[in-house]
Structures are given as structure tokens and as C-alpha cells.
């Protein structure tokens, strides 16, 4: 194609038989060209080269537009060409010279309503380049100006709302109120100032990257909100990603594999859409701000002044501070959390190497329990709320009272107190390991560290003496469990080794009553040369607390098939999992079931030498326990031999299975040492 045409030929004369031909050609040119390239044929000027690629008379060429020009269409709306493509950089034919060609348009067609419509080759070019797409968009906007305005305002408002909400996160899920969204985020003022000050191209790049970054922060904030609601703590960027797989497994067990797969796919789609939408929203807002930099600057200065004034004067709206900086606060919190996690890893490794009983000879470990069958039992989610919450407590307290009376009738006595758990709402293994290790284990890094250490666990102390056989009954374990070595268990029975053939009860693989009966049949009821130390994890009170098993005759348990009709008649997890009232009611019933199953097992199978220690691993989630619930869990020691309870008489615990409200509260990590000392162990420290 020549670089230029020296002298354009005169336009062809218009046939007298077709007086409207010139007007029609002009209409087609106007529809096909961009708003900046539109020319009137009546002015007698040569038509510029348009994106459509057709020829109007002789070919003319002009340099492509340069710089950060923003163009206005005939509908009155500005199109920021930089948001899509710089039409001055290349034409649809890929002309490396940076010029554009405009040719004569085909005659316009007429639709059935009589409206003149540009032919596809002019008003809606068939090229595949970005310029052609932009030309088609302009043609549509010129043809439907009202619809274009509606689309423009809708996308702009949605962009502002999306960014506004993202800058207000995180907010609490439990106890959320709409008035919490009536805030002025300071970050919005900063973002507006930056985007207003930048030229077009840098603004687009910064806006897109900033939007993607805000999307990433939003994902972390949403995880933070979820962890706060379920686990009572924030999301840890270093340690908690692996817990997402545990959450998926929990949903699969509770709601089914198909539902979980659909939910997982939906979440992934939403995350991708969030990143794309947030970046597009930031670019859109930047484009709007850049149209009139002077006005945007004035508005930004006013907004900044208002924010600073309201912040200094602590102005409130609907009982909430009007000004916030949540996004910056969330970013700082995550940064601090990551830094503290990395520091804690080294500090805790040193702490785990120091052990008050690390060098204690075997003969000096728990000598006052020799000859006793000791059973350590954890009841899932058995927390203070079960005993003191007005909704759940009446039923649980009746169960504790009746069980205490039944045990006393069988010759047993009990004492109870409180421990403050290292976890909340979930991650039960952190509660188990804290109780038995004597170390405060409140995250995965600490858990991995102690599991790989030689720090003496309470259960391993019994194995170390050589005076006990040690066994674990773990109906919740459905895969390899290398922790067996740390806990000093000679044998572990997992979910597949207890002979259960009945239905699962949501997450729980089998009812507690069956697990205890299997333990009796396979372990406790057998003759042996040594006494037995056992660790048993009961799972029937695990969320979502639906369906819940019911007690059946101990002689009717068989292989567990008897629970089939009970499971079918129970409530479905989907009916309870998101209903606060139903969750609280069913949670209370599940605790009653677990306590009843355990105490009836002791009544039925316990001996004069049986010592039962049972406790909760953590409180239930905040939707059940409340937003300001403590982390306390009840703990009880039950025995027939009065000497066993006499050893802990100075602990100040309450008689019976229900600890008094004012009973002593210890950190869960203090229990190991107190227990070892109470039953005659002699400290011989090791490590640092």
C-alpha cells in the first residue's frame, strides 16, 4: 500500500436517479468510523482511514493518533480507548506503519421499521482485530445511546460497590449487622488520589495490578472471617492452607461427595471471577477518575479532608466509627502474623526440647497408678457452653446429674474441673496434643514440631514404665497415623479396624456406644498380663450434629447394623449446619449421648482398678457457643479406689461430673505435669 496519495481523484458524480446516494454513503461512514474519525462528506474533505477497512473514494492516509488521548462518541459518553486498545498503534490489517485506511462504505440497508442501518462491512466491521471490535462497540453505542448509558452507569456503580465492600473487610460473620458497612474506608481516598494523578497507560497498569492485589487480600480476609467464626482465630498464611483440605473432607463426610465437589468448583469459579472482576472494577474507576482530572482531584481532596476530620474527632454513625482503614489493618495483621509464626517456630523448637520429666527413670513415673487400668477419653466439642449455656445446659446438666448418681450407685466417685483449650471450634488434635504433651500447641507448626520431638507425652509415660500395655481407639482416624509413635501406643484401632458395618453419622464414622463396645470386646475385656492404658477419641458429638445416634441395648449392638434405621430417621446435616438454633439444640443432644455412652460403659464394664479421665478437646464453633465464649472445657477423673481421688484432693475440683462455675481453671498444657506429680512421678529435667 503506498504511503500517501498525492492528489485524490474527484468524487464520482451522483446519479440523478439516486439523489439520496450521497446521504446514504455519509450515514454509512458515520456508523463505521470511530467518533474521532467521523467526517461529513458535505464538507468536501477526504474521508480518513477507518478501522472498518472499507474504501471511500481514493485512499488517503494520516499518522495514527499518539499520546493519552481519550475520545468521545456521538452518544455523549467517553470511551477510554486505552482500556481496550490504542487504535493509533495498529490498524486491522496489521500495517506496521501505524497508519489507518478508510474506504467507501457499502450502501446502507434498511430494517423493517424503516431505520437506516449501516451494512455489516461498514457499521459492524468483520475484522478480528481489537480496532474492529472497538469500532463495532462504538457503532452499537451510537445506535443504542440509552442502552449504552444504562450499561455504563451500571458497570460503574457495580465497580464502585465491589471495591467499597472489599475495602471494608474483614467483618465478623457471627453478629454481623448491616450498619457495619456504613463506613468511609481511608484506603479509598488513597486509591482515588493515585489513580487520578497517573497518566492513562500507567493508570491502567496500576489499576489492574492493584485490583488483583485487592482480590488476593479479599480472599485472605474471607478466610480470616471463616476461621474466626469456626476456630476463634485468624487465618495463618503460613500454616493454614492444608486445613482447607480438611474442610473439604469434612464437607464430603457431612454433605456428600457430589455436593462437596459442586461447592468446591463453585468456590474456585468465584475466586477466578473475583480476581477478574476486581481488576476490571479498578480499571473502570480509574478511567472515570481520569476523564476530568481537575474535578477528581478536588473531590479527592474534599473526601480526604472529611476522612481526617472525622477520624480525629471520632465521629460515629449508627454507633460505629464513620472512618476505618480495615484493608490496611488486615494487611498489617497478616504481615505480623507471618512474622510471629516464623519467629515462633524457632522459639518453640527450643521449648519442646526442655522437658521437666524428660530424664525421669521409668520406675519413678506414675508409681501410684501401678496396677490400674487408666483410660484417657476425649469427647469431641465438649465445652463449658454445654454445661452453662441456657439453651443447651438444661439437658446436659440433667445427663451429668443422672450419670453421677448412677456411677455412685456402682461404687464410683468423680471430681471435675476446667481446662482452657489451646484450640476452639475445631482442630481437635491440637487439644489432644496440648493435654498430653504439657506444651501449648495452638497451630500446625507447633504440632508438627512436637510430634517429631522426644518430648514425653502423658500416654508415653505409661509405655516407658514397661508396666502397662498401651492402646489407642481412634474411630475418627481414616488414614495413616504416624502420631502413634509420639503418643507411645503399642496398638491403634482406626475406623476400619473396629468391625463396624453400620452407617456413618455425618462426619462420625460410628456411634460412640459402638466404639466403646468394640474397645471392650477387642481390648479391655481380654485377659492380659499387664494393666491397660488406653486413649479413646469419641466422635459422635462432632459437628454438624446431625444425624445423632441413640442409645440401644448393649447386647444388641452386634456389628452396628442396628443403627441403620436410627440414622435414616435422624435429621439431615443440611437442615442443621447453617441453622443456629437447630445447631445448638442438636449439639446439646450429642453431648448428652456421648456422656451417657461413656458412663454407661464404665458402669457396665469398669472394675475396681479402672480409672477414667475424660474431657472435652475444645468448645463448639461460635455459632453454637457464642461470639464471646471462653475456651474452657470440663474435665473429670472417675475411680472406685478412693486413694485415686485423694491424690488430687488439693486441686479444689468439684465432686461429681459437673464442675462448678467457680472451679479452678488451668491452661490445658498444665495438666500433664500436675497429673504426673499427683501420682508420684519425680521430675528429672532434660533439654534447655
Amino acid at each position: 500500500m503506498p504511503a500517501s496519495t498525492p492528489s485524490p481523484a474527484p468524487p464520482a458524480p451522483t446519479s440523478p436517479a439516486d439523489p439520496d446516494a450521497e446521504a446514504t454513503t455519509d450515514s454509512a461512514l458515520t456508523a463505521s468510523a470511530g467518533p474521532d474519525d467521523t467526517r461529513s462528506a458535505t464538507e468536501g474533505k477526504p474521508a480518513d482511514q477507518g478501522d472498518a477497512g472499507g474504501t471511500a473514494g481514493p485512499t488517503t492516509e494520516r499518522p495514527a493518533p499518539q499520546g493519552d488521548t481519550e475520545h468521545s462518541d456521538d452518544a455523549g459518553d467517553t470511551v477510554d480507548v486505552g482500556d481496550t486498545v490504542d487504535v493509533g498503534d495498529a490498524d486491522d490489517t496489521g500495517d506496521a506503519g501505524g497508519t489507518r485506511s478508510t474506504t467507501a462504505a457499502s450502501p446502507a440497508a434498511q430494517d423493517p421499521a424503516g431505520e437506516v442501518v449501516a451494512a455489516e462491512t461498514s457499521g459492524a466491521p468483520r475484522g478480528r482485530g481489537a480496532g474492529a471490535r472497538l469500532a463495532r462497540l462504538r457503532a452499537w453505542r451510537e445506535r443504542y445511546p440509552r442502552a449504552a448509558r444504562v450499561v455504563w452507569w451500571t458497570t460503574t456503580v457495580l465497580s464502585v460497590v465491589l471495591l467499597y465492600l472489599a475495602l471494608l473487610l474483614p467483618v465478623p460473620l457471627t453478629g454481623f449487622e448491616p450498619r457495619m458497612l456504613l463506613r468511609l474506608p481511608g484506603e479509598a481516598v488513597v486509591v482515588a488520589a493515585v489513580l487520578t494523578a497517573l497518566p492513562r497507560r500507567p493508570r491502567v497498569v496500576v489499576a489492574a495490578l492493584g485490583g488483583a492485589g485487592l482480590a488476593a487480600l479479599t480472599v485472605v480476609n474471607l478466610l480470616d472471617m471463616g476461621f474466626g467464626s469456626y476456630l476463634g482465630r485468624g487465618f495463618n498464611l503460613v500454616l493454614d492452607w492444608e486445613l482447607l483440605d480438611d474442610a473439604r473432607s469434612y464437607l464430603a463426610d457431612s454433605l456428600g461427595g457430589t455436593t462437596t465437589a459442586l461447592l468446591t468448583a463453585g468456590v474456585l469459579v468465584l475466586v477466578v471471577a473475583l480476581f477478574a472482576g476486581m481488576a476490571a472494577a479498578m480499571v473502570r474507576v480509574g478511567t472515570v477518575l481520569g476523564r476530568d482530572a481537575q474535578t477528581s482531584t478536588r473531590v479527592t481532596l474534599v473526601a480526604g479532608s472529611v476522612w481526617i476530620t472525622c477520624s480525629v474527632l471520632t465521629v460515629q454513625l449508627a454507633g460505629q466509627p464513620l472512618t476505618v482503614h480495615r484493608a490496611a489493618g488486615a494487611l498489617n495483621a497478616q504481615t505480623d502474623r507471618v512474622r510471629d509464626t516464623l519467629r515462633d517456630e524457632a522459639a518453640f523448637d527450643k521449648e519442646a526440647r526442655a522437658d521437666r520429666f524428660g530424664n525421669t527413670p521409668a520406675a519413678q513415673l506414675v508409681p501410684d497408678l501401678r496396677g490400674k487400668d487408666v483410660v484417657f477419653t476425649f469427647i469431641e466439642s465438649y465445652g463449658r457452653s454445654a454445661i452453662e449455656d441456657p439453651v443447651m445446659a438444661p439437658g446436659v446438666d440433667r445427663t451429668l446429674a443422672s450419670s453421677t448418681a448412677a456411677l455412685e450407685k456402682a461404687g464410683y466417685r468423680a471430681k471435675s474441673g476446667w481446662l482452657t483449650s489451646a484450640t476452639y471450634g475445631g482442630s481437635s488434635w491440637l487439644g489432644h496434643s496440648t493435654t498430653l504433651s504439657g506444651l501449648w500447641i495452638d497451630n500446625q507448626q507447633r504440632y508438627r514440631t512436637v510430634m517429631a520431638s522426644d518430648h514425653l507425652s502423658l500416654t508415653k509415660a505409661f509405655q516407658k514404665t514397661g508396666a502397662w500395655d498401651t492402646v489407642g481407639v481412634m474411630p475418627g482416624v481414616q488414614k495413616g497415623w504416624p502420631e502413634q509413635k509420639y503418643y507411645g501406643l503399642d496398638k491403634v484401632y482406626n475406623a476400619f479396624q473396629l468391625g463396624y458395618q453400620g452407617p456413618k453419622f455425618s462426619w462420625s464414622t460410628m456411634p460412640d456406644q459402638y466404639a466403646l463396645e468394640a474397645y471392650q470386646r477387642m481390648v479391655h475385656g481380654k485377659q492380659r498380663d499387664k494393666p491397660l492404658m488406653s486413649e479413646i477419641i469419641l466422635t459422635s458429638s462432632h459437628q454438624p450434629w446431625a444425624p445423632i445416634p441413640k442409645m440401644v441395648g448393649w447386647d444388641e449392638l452386634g456389628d452396628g447394623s442396628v443403627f441403620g434405621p436410627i440414622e435414616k430417621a435422624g435429621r439431615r446435616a443440611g437442615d442443621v449446619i447453617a441453622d443456629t438454633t437447630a445447631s445448638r439444640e442438636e449439639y446439646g443432644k450429642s453431648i448428652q449421648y456421648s456422656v451417657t455412652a461413656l458412663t454407661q460403659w464404665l458402669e457396665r464394664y469398669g472394675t475396681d482398678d479402672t480409672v477414667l479421665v475424660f474431657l472435652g478437646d475444645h468448645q463448639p464453633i461460635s455459632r453454637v457457643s457464642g461470639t464471646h465464649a471462653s475456651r474452657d472445657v470440663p474435665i473429670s477423673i472417675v475411680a472406685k479406689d478412693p486413694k485415686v481421688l485423694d491424690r488430687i484432693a488439693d486441686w479444689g475440683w468439684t465432686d461429681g461430673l459437673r464442675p462448678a462455675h467457680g472451679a479452678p481453671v488451668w491452661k490445658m498444657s498444665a495438666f500433664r505435669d500436675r497429673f504426673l506429680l499427683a501420682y508420684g512421678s519425680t521430675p528429672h529435667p532434660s533439654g534447655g
Side-chain angles (χ1 to χ4, degrees), residues 46 58 85 93 154 178 239 243 296 302 304 409 451 461 469 471 476 512 525 533 579 581 597 612 617 623 643 659 667:
V85 65
T93 62
T154 300
L239 304 176
L243 296 183
S296 298
V302 171
K409 185 176 180 180
M451 288 299 115
D469 290 331
V471 66
D512 292 345
M533 191 288 303
D579 187 325
T581 300
L612 172 64
D617 45 22
R623 178 161 46 85
K643 294 179 181 179
K667 289 187 70 173

Side-chain angles (χ1 to χ4, degrees), residues 297-620:
T297 300
R298 288 195 294 269
V299 172
T300 301
L301 287 174
V302 171
S305 300
V306 170
W307 193 93
I308 293 173
T309 302
C310 293
S311 179
V312 171
L313 299 178
T314 62
V315 176
Q316 293 191 348
L317 179 64
Q320 298 284 332
L322 180 61
T323 57
V324 292
H325 46 85
R326 288 192 175 277
L331 187 59
N332 288 335
Q334 290 295 341
T335 302
D336 292 342
R337 198 171 294 158
V338 169
R339 182 178 60 250
D340 292 343
T341 298
L342 298 178
R343 289 176 178 174
D344 179 72
E345 181 177 353
F348 184 73
D349 182 65
K350 181 178 179 180
E351 181 182 352
R353 289 197 298 268
D355 190 346
R356 189 178 183 185
F357 293 91
N359 287 330
T360 299
Q364 297 180 22
L365 288 170
V366 288
D368 296 337
L369 289 175
R370 300 298 168 98
K372 303 295 184 184
D373 288 329
V374 182
V375 184
F376 294 98
T377 303
F378 290 91
I379 296 180
E380 171 66 36
S381 301
Y382 180 33
R384 184 187 279 262
S385 297
I387 293 177
E388 297 186 347
D389 182 87
V391 173
M392 302 167 296
V396 175
D397 287 349
R398 284 195 299 270
T399 297
L400 293 174
S402 61
S403 296
T404 298
L407 288 173
E408 288 179 350
K409 185 176 180 180
Y412 290 94
R413 294 171 51 226
K415 284 187 176 292
S416 302
W418 302 105
L419 299 178
T420 300
S421 178
T423 185
Y424 176 95
S427 300
S428 302
W429 56 92
L430 302 182
H432 304 163
S433 56
T434 297
T435 303
L436 299 178
S437 70
L439 296 169
W440 190 255
I441 305 175
D442 59 352
N443 61 55
Q444 281 300 107
Q445 181 59 51
R446 286 187 165 217
Y447 181 77
R448 289 192 292 265
T449 297
V450 77
M451 288 299 115
S453 73
D454 294 326
H455 196 91
L456 185 68
S457 66
L458 181 54
T459 46
K460 194 169 187 176
F462 287 85
Q463 184 192 53
K464 184 177 179 179
T465 65
W468 278 272
D469 290 331
T470 59
V471 66
V473 177
M474 313 287 179
V477 173
Q478 303 180 58
K479 54 185 178 181
W481 199 60
E483 290 90 334
Q484 174 181 350
K485 179 180 178 181
Y486 174 78
Y487 287 116
L489 303 174
D490 301 327
K491 171 68 176 177
V492 170
Y493 294 87
N494 63 26
F496 310 110
Q497 296 171 316
L498 294 171
Y500 183 67
Q501 299 299 316
K504 292 181 65 175
F505 282 75
S506 188
W507 183 87
S508 180
T509 58
M510 65 191 70
D512 292 345
Q513 185 184 12
Y514 179 88
L516 291 165
E517 175 64 26
Y519 164 67
Q520 177 63 29
R521 180 180 69 252
M522 302 172 70
V523 182
H524 187 262
K526 290 186 174 181
Q527 294 292 328
R528 60 182 64 254
D529 298 331
K530 300 178 182 178
L532 186 66
M533 191 288 303
S534 309
E535 180 186 355
I536 302 176
I537 311 297
L538 299 181
T539 62
S540 289
S541 50
H542 194 288
Q543 62 174 313
W545 309 296
I548 300 172
K550 297 181 182 297
M551 294 295 295
V552 300
W554 289 86
D555 295 331
E556 301 172 8
L557 287 169
D559 64 359
S561 300
V562 66
F563 289 103
I566 297 174
E567 190 274 338
K568 290 181 180 178
R571 300 185 70 170
R572 298 297 96 187
D575 300 331
V576 173
I577 197 169
D579 187 325
T580 298
T581 300
S583 292
R584 299 177 78 189
E585 292 173 348
E586 298 306 300
Y587 163 74
K589 293 176 184 177
S590 72
I591 295 297
Q592 294 178 58
Y593 169 79
S594 294
V595 170
T596 299
L598 179 59
T599 54
Q600 282 194 11
W601 171 85
L602 184 59
E603 292 175 52
R604 184 178 179 87
Y605 297 117
T607 68
D608 292 346
D609 291 322
T610 301
V611 177
L612 172 64
V613 181
F614 74 94
L615 67 155
D617 45 22
H618 55 71
Q619 282 265 56

Side-chain angles (χ1 to χ4, degrees), residues 123-143:
R126 285 180 288 185
R128 295 184 179 181
R133 290 195 297 270
L134 182 59
R136 287 195 294 269
L137 174 61
R138 284 173 171 169
W140 178 86
R141 293 178 61 156
E142 291 172 356
R143 186 177 179 186

